Amino acid sequence: MKNKENFYIFLDIDGVLWDWNWRKNELKNGNSKQMLANKFNPESIAAINFLIENLSKNYNCLLVISSTWRYNMDRTKNALIENGLKYDNKIYSTPILPNPYYNRDEEILQFLHNKETKNLLIIDDENFDFFDNFPSENIIKTNITNHSLNKIDIINWAMNFNGILNQQPCKSNYNFSDISK
């Protein structure tokens, strides 16, 4: 049996797994701010599970936390599991670069250093310089105000990424071995 290619999912947390509208509704429903500190929108977790489940049919999915939540990976892993993430593999994180004026895309590029891949997805509510370094079909943009991740975002992305959830070949191939930062 042929080894599956890796597929990297770079996941931000705040603004991706919850948004302010969802949080306000949760507060109205009696949840306290403390209860919501590690609580995510179930629809967003379902979308991540949907993505991983479908990609895993053809790829070795590697979940990489690119959020500031990576400063405490134990808390992050526990929160993801407690919220229903269905992922049994190791959860990675992008490096924390010493420059306080980092861009998240630089951290992703550093993580991908010496890895040749065509299979990656960045899910984030911020732009950083993603569009300077990655094609738009590799990015799902959410909004912390009123649009956390959902299954429609995943389906739309898959259609733009050449039908990847339907076993279609990817459009691009990137070689990150020449990146030196």
Side-chain angles (χ1 to χ4, degrees):
M1 184 172 159
K2 183 182 172 189
N3 286 341
K4 293 180 182 180
E5 291 181 43
N6 288 340
F7 196 107
Y8 298 91
I9 302 168
F10 292 93
L11 182 65
D12 183 23
I13 304 283
D14 300 323
V16 171
L17 298 183
W18 65 269
D19 61 60
W20 289 116
N21 280 351
W22 176 80
R23 281 252 165 116
K24 282 191 261 182
N25 286 334
E26 290 295 302
L27 288 169
K28 286 179 189 175
N29 291 332
N31 287 304
S32 69
K33 287 181 182 180
Q34 292 78 16
M35 284 180 61
L36 292 176
N38 291 323
K39 188 171 180 186
F40 306 135
N41 184 338
E43 185 178 327
S44 300
I45 291 291
I48 290 292
N49 286 336
F50 175 76
L51 174 67
I52 291 170
E53 176 186 342
N54 283 282
L55 285 176
S56 292
K57 294 173 185 174
N58 300 302
Y59 298 96
N60 177 37
C61 287
L62 300 172
L63 187 59
V64 184
I65 303 302
S66 55
S67 168
T68 56
W69 280 61
R70 72 191 189 288
Y71 285 93
N72 187 339
M73 284 300 292
D74 288 337
R75 172 186 174 223
T76 302
K77 291 174 190 176
N78 289 336
L80 288 167
I81 291 165
E82 288 171 8
N83 279 274
L85 178 70
K86 296 176 184 171
Y87 181 76
D88 295 328
N89 299 328
K90 178 180 177 178
I91 299 176
Y92 296 88
S93 65
T94 53
I96 298 168
L97 299 180
N99 180 354
Y101 302 105
Y102 75 91
N103 283 316
R104 196 164 288 170
D105 67 317
E106 292 173 11
E107 294 169 341
I108 291 171
L109 289 170
Q110 187 67 38
F111 180 89
L112 291 170
H113 182 71
N114 290 327
K115 295 174 179 71
E116 188 172 323
T117 187
K118 59 187 172 185
N119 309 316
L120 65 99
L121 173 61
I122 300 166
I123 309 172
D124 208 302
D125 67 315
E126 299 283 342
N127 282 334
F128 296 99
D129 288 333
F130 293 142
F131 295 100
D132 291 340
N133 291 298
F134 302 99
S136 61
E137 66 260 13
N138 291 90
I139 303 165
I140 294 178
K141 173 99 168 57
T142 60
N143 183 314
I144 196 165
T145 304
N146 59 10
H147 184 92
S148 56
L149 187 70
N150 61 51
K151 282 186 187 177
I152 293 170
D153 295 326
I154 301 298
I155 292 166
N156 287 337
W157 165 78
M159 290 171 42
N160 290 332
F161 202 70
N162 206 17
I164 194 163
L165 296 184
N166 295 321
Q167 302 178 354
Q168 300 293 324
C170 297
K171 292 180 182 177
S172 307
N173 190 18
Y174 312 107
N175 184 344
F176 297 98
S177 61
D178 297 330
I179 297 170
S180 58
K181 291 201 180 221

